[in-house]
Each structure stands twice: as C-alpha cells, then as structure tokens.
Amino acid sequence: MFETATHRFIQGVNGVTIHAVVMGEGEPLLLLHGHPETYLMWHKVAGDLAHRFIVVMCDLRGYGDSDKPEGLPDHSTYSKRIMAEDCIAVMGELGFDCYSVMGHDRGARVAYRMALDHPEVVNKLVLLDIVSTYDMYALSSAEFAKALFHWYLLTQDEPFPEDLILSSRKMYFRNALHIGRYNSENDTSSEAFPQEVYDEYLRHYNVECIHAICEEYRAGECIDRFLDKEDLDAGKKITAETLVLWGANGLVEKFFSPLQCWLRFCTNVQGRALPCGHFIPEEAPIPLLAEVQRFL
C-alpha cells in the first residue's frame, strides 16, 4: 500500500524531527495515530483515501520514526499544544495552510487541540474513540480507573512507569493494544493486527518511545486537561465541522456519552458508534471509510 508514498523528515517545534508519509491526490487530509502505534495504523484505509485526498500520515513526536526528546520537568515537551504545532509545521512545509484532520486516540487529542488553538488551519475534524482529556479525568470512576489504569500509571514520576513497562515490555504492549481485554464474542482486537504490522509496532516500542509515552500522559494530566478546562470556562469552542466516531464494543462507549461530551466543545458536531472496539481503522475499516468519505 505504501510503495508509492513519499517519506519526509520535517522539523517540528524546537528542532524535533517529525516523520511524515505522503500519498495520493486531491485536497489535503492529515491522519494522526494513537498509542501504542505509528502512522502504519492507517494501512487499511490510506489507500482508499488516497484516491480522493493527499493523505499525510505523521508519526507523532515520541513515536515511530519521529524524534523522541527527553521530557522537561514540567512535561511540556509532550503537551498536545506542542504536538499540534509539530503537525502544523509539517503541513506548512508540505505547502498546506488549511486541511482536514482525522485522529485516533492520542492523535485525536492532538487534532482537537489543533482545532482549538489554530482554527484557521482545520477545515473538517474527525475524532476517533475519545472524549476530551478533561472529561476523561472529570467523569472517571473506580470502574474506569480499573479498565483504563494506564491513565494513572503512566503519569507517575519517572522512572517508575518506564521501568515497570520495560520489565515486561511485550506483555504490556499486548495489553495496550487491548488484545483479549474485552472477553466478548464481539471482540475484534486480536484479529485487527496482522503479524507484520504488530511486529513493526513492537519494534518501535523501545526505551526512548516508552519514556516519551509516559511524558505524553504526564502532560495530559498536568497540562492538557487544564487547557481544556480553560477553553470550556472561556466558552471557546471548536468551529470546524466535527465528526465523532467510537467503538460500540469499547471503553469510551461503556463509560461516556461521547456525542454529549463533544457538544460542549464543538459548535457543529455529529457522530455515532461503529461495530468494533477501540482501534477503529484496523477493526472496522470499511464502516470507517464510508462515514469519513461521506463527511469529508
């Protein structure tokens, strides 16, 4: 699928190099992956999208072949505000000053921060299987904390979570992909990742990446959720037309009312659940393509 793609290495913020993969023709569309993956998570949908769009897939800072700088004491190196500015720098270098953005998981958090901080660059916005970082903490429960324990584990002071993950890297990685976690006949997670794709994700899940991921979650707890709250209190909303999709068998569906949550952040939002778990582009690529192509 990516044989015709061009790989670029472009400077983001503060000299951090971002790996971007570009393919297709048409209007620009930026795709941002989630944890614990890379741009490769779009492998089941990128080819179809490239028939209608110039598709740009970035490895977020800290992931894949992008740089993985050490976190600063205040964790701002991995705030979604900085990560959003990385993506804007990449798109600007490619010649795009306005484009649509689709993000999954952590990439969706970068995407909605782009839309809040830089509304002039985001044409349409697609958010996959998230509610805001603010709501993730404000609406949490004991059951939520048990199911999504990593939201609390990864925010602990360095090097505790880093060392803990490295002591059983492969087991933790498998858990991060939700493989076998749902214990349901509707669980599609174990079938979503071909072995070569799984191996490529795992190859990047090294010491530097694990530290970056922990820093990114620390930034979520101490920076990102407060930026969200500031915007809510100020009445600042996402003005781009927004599509929210989530997995009917996943944890966002279980613990939240996603569309109701996003109505507080967006002026124009629509959405629904798709028949899958968390990893929508890999578990339900055909329903996702239908929704996204119609919306865009």
Side-chain angles (χ1 to χ4, degrees), residues 195-263:
Q195 190 63 48
E196 63 271 23
V197 172
Y198 181 91
D199 290 345
E200 178 66 6
Y201 293 153
L202 183 60
R203 180 177 72 84
H204 287 287
Y205 210 65
N206 55 24
V207 173
E208 293 79 13
C209 178
I210 290 166
H211 169 69
I213 289 166
C214 291
E215 282 295 294
E216 193 240 303
Y217 275 84
R218 290 172 184 132
E221 191 276 330
C222 73
I223 298 175
D224 302 332
R225 71 183 177 112
F226 292 110
L227 291 176
D228 287 358
K229 182 64 162 54
E230 286 178 6
D231 288 334
L232 277 175
D233 290 346
K236 183 178 180 181
K237 291 194 172 186
I238 294 168
T239 56
E241 188 177 352
T242 303
L243 174 65
V244 178
L245 300 170
W246 62 95
N249 307 321
L251 298 174
V252 169
E253 164 76 10
K254 181 176 181 178
F255 294 114
F256 304 99
S257 299
L259 202 53
Q260 292 301 311
C261 288
W262 285 112
L263 282 169

